Short mmCIF file of all heavy atoms in Angstrom, two decimals:
data_model
loop_
_atom_site.label_atom_id
_atom_site.label_comp_id
_atom_site.label_asym_id
_atom_site.label_seq_id
_atom_site.Cartn_x
_atom_site.Cartn_y
_atom_site.Cartn_z
N ILE A 42 89.54 99.27 85.31
CA ILE A 42 90.43 100.22 85.92
C ILE A 42 91.70 99.54 86.22
O ILE A 42 91.71 98.54 86.92
CB ILE A 42 89.78 100.90 87.11
CG1 ILE A 42 88.46 101.52 86.76
CG2 ILE A 42 90.72 101.85 87.69
CD1 ILE A 42 87.73 102.01 87.88
N GLN A 43 92.82 100.01 85.76
CA GLN A 43 94.13 99.41 86.02
C GLN A 43 94.59 99.75 87.49
O GLN A 43 94.23 100.79 88.07
CB GLN A 43 95.18 99.92 85.01
CG GLN A 43 94.79 99.58 83.57
CD GLN A 43 94.64 98.06 83.35
OE1 GLN A 43 95.56 97.26 83.81
NE2 GLN A 43 93.62 97.62 82.73
N VAL A 44 95.42 98.92 88.03
CA VAL A 44 95.89 99.04 89.38
C VAL A 44 96.58 100.40 89.64
O VAL A 44 96.22 101.04 90.61
CB VAL A 44 96.82 97.85 89.81
CG1 VAL A 44 97.48 98.13 91.10
CG2 VAL A 44 96.10 96.51 89.87
N PRO A 45 97.43 100.87 88.79
CA PRO A 45 98.05 102.17 89.02
C PRO A 45 96.99 103.28 89.14
O PRO A 45 97.20 104.27 89.93
CB PRO A 45 98.97 102.43 87.86
CG PRO A 45 99.26 101.02 87.36
CD PRO A 45 98.10 100.28 87.61
N GLU A 46 95.95 103.22 88.34
CA GLU A 46 94.88 104.29 88.46
C GLU A 46 94.19 104.21 89.76
O GLU A 46 93.81 105.26 90.35
CB GLU A 46 93.86 104.05 87.22
CG GLU A 46 92.76 105.01 87.28
CD GLU A 46 93.15 106.46 87.03
OE1 GLU A 46 94.25 106.79 86.49
OE2 GLU A 46 92.30 107.32 87.40
N ILE A 47 93.88 103.07 90.24
CA ILE A 47 93.18 102.81 91.54
C ILE A 47 94.05 103.38 92.67
O ILE A 47 93.50 103.98 93.60
CB ILE A 47 92.93 101.30 91.76
CG1 ILE A 47 91.87 100.87 90.72
CG2 ILE A 47 92.40 101.12 93.14
CD1 ILE A 47 91.74 99.29 90.71
N LEU A 48 95.34 103.26 92.65
CA LEU A 48 96.21 103.59 93.71
C LEU A 48 96.89 104.96 93.54
O LEU A 48 97.74 105.30 94.33
CB LEU A 48 97.31 102.55 93.86
CG LEU A 48 96.81 101.13 94.11
CD1 LEU A 48 97.97 100.11 94.01
CD2 LEU A 48 96.10 101.09 95.42
N LYS A 49 96.53 105.72 92.57
CA LYS A 49 97.11 107.02 92.27
C LYS A 49 97.14 108.04 93.42
O LYS A 49 97.98 108.96 93.44
CB LYS A 49 96.56 107.70 90.99
CG LYS A 49 95.17 108.14 91.13
CD LYS A 49 94.57 108.76 89.96
CE LYS A 49 93.23 109.25 90.28
NZ LYS A 49 92.45 109.62 89.12
N ASP A 50 96.15 107.97 94.35
CA ASP A 50 96.09 108.93 95.41
C ASP A 50 96.92 108.53 96.66
O ASP A 50 96.95 109.31 97.56
CB ASP A 50 94.63 109.19 95.74
CG ASP A 50 93.84 109.79 94.70
OD1 ASP A 50 94.44 110.59 93.90
OD2 ASP A 50 92.64 109.56 94.48
N TYR A 51 97.53 107.35 96.64
CA TYR A 51 98.30 107.02 97.79
C TYR A 51 99.72 107.60 97.60
O TYR A 51 100.20 107.79 96.56
CB TYR A 51 98.46 105.45 97.83
CG TYR A 51 97.24 104.74 98.33
CD1 TYR A 51 96.32 104.13 97.45
CD2 TYR A 51 96.98 104.67 99.77
CE1 TYR A 51 95.17 103.54 97.91
CE2 TYR A 51 95.83 104.03 100.10
CZ TYR A 51 94.92 103.39 99.29
OH TYR A 51 93.82 102.84 99.71
N PRO A 52 100.36 107.95 98.81
CA PRO A 52 101.78 108.35 98.71
C PRO A 52 102.60 107.19 98.08
O PRO A 52 102.30 106.00 98.39
CB PRO A 52 102.18 108.59 100.19
CG PRO A 52 100.90 108.65 100.96
CD PRO A 52 99.88 107.93 100.14
N GLN A 53 103.55 107.54 97.24
CA GLN A 53 104.23 106.51 96.44
C GLN A 53 105.71 106.74 96.60
O GLN A 53 106.21 107.89 96.70
CB GLN A 53 103.86 106.51 95.01
CG GLN A 53 102.36 106.27 94.84
CD GLN A 53 101.92 106.28 93.44
OE1 GLN A 53 102.67 106.17 92.47
NE2 GLN A 53 100.63 106.42 93.24
N GLU A 54 106.48 105.65 96.53
CA GLU A 54 107.89 105.68 96.57
C GLU A 54 108.54 104.62 95.66
O GLU A 54 108.18 103.43 95.74
CB GLU A 54 108.43 105.49 98.06
CG GLU A 54 109.92 105.57 98.13
CD GLU A 54 110.34 105.48 99.64
OE1 GLU A 54 109.62 106.10 100.52
OE2 GLU A 54 111.24 104.82 99.91
N ASP A 55 109.47 105.12 94.80
CA ASP A 55 110.23 104.16 93.93
C ASP A 55 111.30 103.54 94.86
O ASP A 55 112.00 104.32 95.63
CB ASP A 55 110.81 104.84 92.79
CG ASP A 55 109.79 105.13 91.66
OD1 ASP A 55 109.06 104.19 91.31
OD2 ASP A 55 109.77 106.26 91.22
N ILE A 56 111.48 102.22 94.79
CA ILE A 56 112.42 101.58 95.74
C ILE A 56 113.63 101.02 94.99
O ILE A 56 113.60 100.71 93.83
CB ILE A 56 111.68 100.55 96.53
CG1 ILE A 56 111.00 99.49 95.69
CG2 ILE A 56 110.70 101.22 97.55
CD1 ILE A 56 110.38 98.39 96.52
N SER A 57 114.65 100.91 95.81
CA SER A 57 115.97 100.31 95.26
C SER A 57 115.85 98.81 95.24
O SER A 57 114.97 98.24 95.76
CB SER A 57 117.09 100.71 96.22
OG SER A 57 116.89 100.05 97.53
N PRO A 58 116.82 98.16 94.55
CA PRO A 58 116.80 96.65 94.51
C PRO A 58 116.95 96.09 95.92
O PRO A 58 116.31 95.06 96.26
CB PRO A 58 118.06 96.37 93.72
CG PRO A 58 118.25 97.51 92.77
CD PRO A 58 117.79 98.71 93.62
N GLU A 59 117.69 96.74 96.82
CA GLU A 59 117.81 96.23 98.21
C GLU A 59 116.45 96.28 98.92
O GLU A 59 116.09 95.34 99.63
CB GLU A 59 118.88 97.01 99.00
CG GLU A 59 120.24 96.84 98.46
CD GLU A 59 120.56 97.83 97.27
OE1 GLU A 59 119.83 98.75 97.00
OE2 GLU A 59 121.51 97.45 96.52
N MET A 60 115.76 97.39 98.74
CA MET A 60 114.44 97.55 99.36
C MET A 60 113.44 96.63 98.74
O MET A 60 112.59 96.04 99.44
CB MET A 60 113.99 99.02 99.26
CG MET A 60 112.65 99.26 99.88
SD MET A 60 112.78 99.21 101.66
CE MET A 60 111.90 100.67 102.03
N LEU A 61 113.52 96.40 97.39
CA LEU A 61 112.62 95.50 96.65
C LEU A 61 112.71 94.10 97.31
O LEU A 61 111.66 93.42 97.48
CB LEU A 61 112.96 95.45 95.23
CG LEU A 61 112.19 94.46 94.36
CD1 LEU A 61 110.68 94.72 94.48
CD2 LEU A 61 112.69 94.45 92.91
N TYR A 62 113.90 93.65 97.62
CA TYR A 62 114.08 92.30 98.22
C TYR A 62 113.29 92.22 99.56
O TYR A 62 112.58 91.29 99.73
CB TYR A 62 115.57 92.08 98.46
CG TYR A 62 115.82 90.73 99.14
CD1 TYR A 62 115.86 89.56 98.35
CD2 TYR A 62 115.90 90.60 100.52
CE1 TYR A 62 116.09 88.30 98.92
CE2 TYR A 62 116.12 89.36 101.16
CZ TYR A 62 116.18 88.22 100.36
OH TYR A 62 116.33 86.99 100.91
N LYS A 63 113.44 93.28 100.36
CA LYS A 63 112.74 93.31 101.69
C LYS A 63 111.22 93.36 101.44
O LYS A 63 110.48 92.57 102.15
CB LYS A 63 113.13 94.52 102.52
CG LYS A 63 114.57 94.51 102.91
CD LYS A 63 114.92 95.78 103.59
CE LYS A 63 116.40 95.77 104.03
NZ LYS A 63 116.77 96.97 104.71
N VAL A 64 110.70 94.11 100.49
CA VAL A 64 109.32 94.28 100.26
C VAL A 64 108.77 92.95 99.69
O VAL A 64 107.72 92.53 100.12
CB VAL A 64 109.08 95.48 99.33
CG1 VAL A 64 107.66 95.49 98.86
CG2 VAL A 64 109.41 96.81 100.08
N LYS A 65 109.41 92.40 98.69
CA LYS A 65 108.99 91.16 98.15
C LYS A 65 108.78 89.99 99.14
O LYS A 65 108.05 89.14 98.95
CB LYS A 65 109.95 90.65 97.01
CG LYS A 65 109.71 91.39 95.73
CD LYS A 65 110.81 91.03 94.66
CE LYS A 65 110.88 89.60 94.31
NZ LYS A 65 111.79 89.26 93.23
N HIS A 66 109.59 90.05 100.18
CA HIS A 66 109.58 89.03 101.18
C HIS A 66 108.70 89.43 102.32
O HIS A 66 108.64 88.74 103.43
CB HIS A 66 110.90 88.61 101.66
CG HIS A 66 111.69 87.91 100.57
ND1 HIS A 66 112.47 88.56 99.59
CD2 HIS A 66 111.78 86.62 100.24
CE1 HIS A 66 112.91 87.73 98.73
NE2 HIS A 66 112.56 86.50 99.13
N GLY A 67 107.97 90.60 102.18
CA GLY A 67 106.99 90.95 103.20
C GLY A 67 107.52 91.35 104.59
O GLY A 67 106.92 91.24 105.59
N GLN A 68 108.74 91.86 104.54
CA GLN A 68 109.32 92.34 105.82
C GLN A 68 108.69 93.54 106.44
O GLN A 68 108.18 94.41 105.71
CB GLN A 68 110.81 92.65 105.69
CG GLN A 68 111.65 91.44 105.29
CD GLN A 68 113.13 91.77 105.22
OE1 GLN A 68 113.56 92.85 105.55
NE2 GLN A 68 113.94 90.76 104.66
N ILE A 69 108.60 93.57 107.79
CA ILE A 69 108.20 94.73 108.48
C ILE A 69 109.32 95.74 108.40
O ILE A 69 110.41 95.35 108.70
CB ILE A 69 107.74 94.38 109.95
CG1 ILE A 69 106.53 93.52 109.86
CG2 ILE A 69 107.54 95.59 110.72
CD1 ILE A 69 106.07 92.91 111.22
N LEU A 70 109.03 96.98 108.12
CA LEU A 70 110.09 97.95 107.81
C LEU A 70 110.01 99.07 108.79
O LEU A 70 108.91 99.50 109.37
CB LEU A 70 109.91 98.50 106.42
CG LEU A 70 109.96 97.49 105.28
CD1 LEU A 70 109.59 98.23 103.98
CD2 LEU A 70 111.30 96.85 105.20
N ASN A 71 111.17 99.69 109.12
CA ASN A 71 111.24 100.85 109.98
C ASN A 71 110.93 102.07 109.14
O ASN A 71 111.75 102.46 108.42
CB ASN A 71 112.60 100.96 110.68
CG ASN A 71 112.87 99.92 111.61
OD1 ASN A 71 111.95 99.60 112.42
ND2 ASN A 71 114.07 99.37 111.69
N MET A 72 109.72 102.62 109.31
CA MET A 72 109.31 103.80 108.54
C MET A 72 108.05 104.36 109.19
O MET A 72 107.20 103.61 109.64
CB MET A 72 109.09 103.43 107.04
CG MET A 72 108.69 104.63 106.22
SD MET A 72 108.36 104.13 104.53
CE MET A 72 109.95 104.05 103.80
N THR A 73 108.04 105.58 109.32
CA THR A 73 106.82 106.33 109.83
C THR A 73 106.03 106.94 108.73
O THR A 73 106.57 107.67 107.84
CB THR A 73 107.25 107.44 110.84
OG1 THR A 73 108.03 106.85 111.81
CG2 THR A 73 106.06 108.07 111.48
N ILE A 74 104.76 106.54 108.63
CA ILE A 74 103.85 107.03 107.59
C ILE A 74 102.54 107.43 108.24
O ILE A 74 102.31 107.06 109.34
CB ILE A 74 103.62 105.99 106.44
CG1 ILE A 74 102.95 104.70 107.05
CG2 ILE A 74 104.88 105.69 105.77
CD1 ILE A 74 102.59 103.75 105.91
N ASN A 75 101.71 108.13 107.44
CA ASN A 75 100.34 108.50 108.02
C ASN A 75 99.49 107.19 108.02
O ASN A 75 98.92 106.89 109.15
CB ASN A 75 99.71 109.55 107.19
CG ASN A 75 100.34 110.94 107.46
OD1 ASN A 75 100.86 111.22 108.56
ND2 ASN A 75 100.32 111.78 106.47
N ASP A 76 99.21 106.65 106.88
CA ASP A 76 98.39 105.47 106.82
C ASP A 76 98.97 104.40 105.92
O ASP A 76 99.19 103.30 106.38
CB ASP A 76 96.99 105.83 106.33
CG ASP A 76 96.20 106.66 107.36
OD1 ASP A 76 96.11 106.29 108.49
OD2 ASP A 76 95.70 107.77 106.97
N TYR A 77 99.10 104.69 104.69
CA TYR A 77 99.59 103.76 103.60
C TYR A 77 100.63 104.38 102.75
O TYR A 77 100.75 105.56 102.63
CB TYR A 77 98.39 103.33 102.75
CG TYR A 77 97.38 102.49 103.38
CD1 TYR A 77 96.29 103.09 104.04
CD2 TYR A 77 97.42 101.08 103.35
CE1 TYR A 77 95.31 102.25 104.62
CE2 TYR A 77 96.52 100.31 103.97
CZ TYR A 77 95.41 100.86 104.61
OH TYR A 77 94.47 100.12 105.15
N ILE A 78 101.45 103.49 102.15
CA ILE A 78 102.42 103.88 101.14
C ILE A 78 102.52 102.85 100.08
O ILE A 78 102.48 101.68 100.39
CB ILE A 78 103.85 104.22 101.76
CG1 ILE A 78 104.70 104.85 100.70
CG2 ILE A 78 104.43 103.01 102.42
CD1 ILE A 78 105.95 105.49 101.21
#
Side-chain angles (χ1 to χ4, degrees):
I42 302 170
Q43 300 298 314
V44 172
E46 176 66 20
I47 295 168
L48 301 172
K49 69 181 181 191
D50 294 330
Y51 286 98
Q53 301 181 16
E54 184 175 315
D55 285 311
I56 56 176
S57 67
E59 295 82 17
M60 181 71 131
L61 175 60
Y62 179 85
K63 293 176 183 180
V64 169
K65 280 175 59 174
H66 291 88
Q68 292 185 11
I69 293 173
L70 305 171
N71 291 318
M72 182 183 276
T73 303
I74 60 172
N75 286 332
D76 292 308
Y77 290 90
I78 187 166

